[in-house]
């Protein structure tokens, strides 16, 4: 019974606590303008600013942005190196603004493959914003949902080997606690029109609502974010229950 009351409360919320965005369509946006793909990635930085600004103003607590997947290394070398340069530049240029807006930045994904210089910049940006609590901004870089789950299992296995945990302690909550992101996603937005997850937050997306606006990432604005949140507010989230149970009828 208590569990249903909890689900009713979650279902009533009209503002999603955790929004995740697959920022797709930069390449097509650039191509349609006769420009190289990196031009679209650069234009996407302004869309990121719009997303962060909307989240800050509207009480969203966690915003998770997919910037580079563990599969994106398969792209042509010049695009990959252009993206790495852009991420390094954006970290430097945006961190003070994030700090002023009381936003905490966290980079998620396997950072071991990045250069020492880039890893240091990431750590500096995270440390600088560590005390901020208006919005937690997770940026997924070299991130894959499968990698995250395997990484969590390796951490758990290590604790079992050392005797800190027993195999019987393994539970959904324990796995959740060992992920990069423990919060369930309430609303997933994917620009660019594709209706797929592309190895994003596989565990955390279990019960999220999905919104796929008809825009490419560089065209994303606060107005589009508002449409997504309005859509979210109109949904009845049931979590396996019936509509009557959720509405308390
Ligand atoms: C998303 O835009 C950005 C990254 C994957 C880094 P794309 O570059 O995938 O854009 P499209 O899908 O080719 O248009
Ligand atoms: C997903 O977009 C990854 C990011 C937005 C960073 P992709 O463009 O890589 O996805 P697929 O390959 O079309 O599924
Ligand atoms: Mg794409």
């Amino acid at each position: 019974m208590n569990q249903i009351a909890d689900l009713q409360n979650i279902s009533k919320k009209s503002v999603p606590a955790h929004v995740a965005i697959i920022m797709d369509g930069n390449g097509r946006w650039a191509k349609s303008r006769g420009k190289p793909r990196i031009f679209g990635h650069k234009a996407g930085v302004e869309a990121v600013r719009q997303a962060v600004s909307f989240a800050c103003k509207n009480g969203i607590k966690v915003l998770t942005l997919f910037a580079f997947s563990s599969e994106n290394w398969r792209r042509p070398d010049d695009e990959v190196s252009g993206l790495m340069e852009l991420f390094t530049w954006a970290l430097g240029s945006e961190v003070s603004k994030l700090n002023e807006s009381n936003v905490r930045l966290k980079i998620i994904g396997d950072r071991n493959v990045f250069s020492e210089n880039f890893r240091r910049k990431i750590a500096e940006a995270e440390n600088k914003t560590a005390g901020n609590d208006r919005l937690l901004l997770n940026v997924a870089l070299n991130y894959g949902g499968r990698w995250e789950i395997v990484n969590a299992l390796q951490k758990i296995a290590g604790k079992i080997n050392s005797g800190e945990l027993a195999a019987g302690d393994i539970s959904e909550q324990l796995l959740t606690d060992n992920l990069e992101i423990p919060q369930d996603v309430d609303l997933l937005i994917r620009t660019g029109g594709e209706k797929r997850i592309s190895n994003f937050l596989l565990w955390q997306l279990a019960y999220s609502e999905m919104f796929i606006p008809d825009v490419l990432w560089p065209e994303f604005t606060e107005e589009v974010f508002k449409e997504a949140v309005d859509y979210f507010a109109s949904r009845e989230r049931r979590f396996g229950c019936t509509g009557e149970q959720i509405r308390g009828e």
Side-chain angles (χ1 to χ4, degrees):
M1 271 306 152
N2 263 343
Q3 199 194 1
I4 292 186
D6 287 348
L7 296 175
Q8 283 173 332
N9 282 334
I10 298 174
S11 189
K12 263 185 227 143
K13 293 204 170 104
S14 55
V15 176
H18 183 187
V19 179
I21 309 184
I22 301 178
M23 310 187 288
D24 196 20
N26 297 346
R28 278 164 282 167
W29 184 87
K31 211 173 161 195
S32 72
R33 282 160 179 76
K35 306 272 192 191
R37 296 175 57 85
I38 193 70
F39 184 75
H41 297 313
K42 287 181 181 161
V45 176
E46 177 52 30
V48 171
R49 294 187 189 117
Q50 295 263 322
V52 172
S53 165
F54 182 89
C56 282
K57 285 185 225 157
N58 289 279
I60 290 165
K61 287 285 150 213
V62 185
L63 178 65
T64 302
L65 303 177
F66 204 5
F68 192 86
S69 76
S70 39
E71 289 74 37
N72 286 144
W73 298 105
R74 295 173 183 153
R75 294 189 176 201
D77 289 349
D78 62 336
E79 180 168 349
V80 171
S81 58
L83 278 165
M84 293 303 143
E85 273 172 39
L86 180 62
F87 296 144
T88 311
W89 171 82
L91 257 187
S93 81
E94 302 304 303
V95 75
S96 313
K97 290 178 220 163
L98 293 176
N99 220 5
E100 281 162 25
S101 308
N102 196 10
V103 176
R104 176 176 182 188
L105 178 70
K106 191 175 162 197
I107 303 297
I108 60 160
D110 185 0
R111 60 178 79 174
N112 291 325
V113 299
F114 295 137
S115 70
E116 209 185 313
N117 177 43
F118 189 40
R119 284 203 307 258
R120 197 182 54 245
K121 283 208 155 90
I122 291 173
E124 279 167 11
E126 287 178 332
N127 291 339
K128 196 167 172 189
T129 61
N132 297 341
D133 60 5
R134 185 169 188 182
L135 172 73
L136 170 62
L137 174 64
N138 297 307
V139 177
L141 281 182
N142 189 25
Y143 170 88
R146 289 180 175 176
W147 166 82
E148 185 185 22
I149 292 170
V150 169
N151 195 43
L153 290 174
Q154 283 170 345
K155 286 191 225 165
I156 292 169
K159 290 176 200 164
I160 292 174
N161 277 342
S162 71
E164 192 186 325
L165 287 175
D169 293 329
I170 295 175
S171 64
E172 289 190 12
Q173 190 59 50
L174 183 71
L175 185 57
T176 301
D177 293 343
N178 282 278
L179 294 171
E180 304 269 291
I181 299 185
Q183 301 93 342
D184 277 340
V185 173
D186 297 297
L187 172 64
L188 172 70
I189 302 171
R190 179 168 190 150
T191 58
E194 308 296 352
K195 296 181 177 64
R196 56 177 174 252
I197 302 296
S198 301
N199 198 16
F200 200 25
L201 306 159
L202 298 177
W203 182 268
Q204 300 88 338
L205 290 173
Y207 265 107
S208 60
E209 301 297 325
M210 289 183 69
F211 187 72
I212 303 185
D214 191 18
V215 297
L216 301 167
W217 180 248
E219 298 162 341
F220 187 85
T221 57
E222 296 198 43
E223 287 71 37
V224 182
F225 208 152
K226 166 126 191 359
E227 274 175 47
V229 169
D230 287 348
Y231 169 80
F232 175 84
S234 76
R235 306 311 304 155
E236 180 179 73
R237 305 180 76 191
R238 300 195 196 99
F239 305 99
C241 300
T242 66
E244 287 78 8
Q245 284 175 299
I246 289 296
R247 292 189 296 272
E249 292 168 8

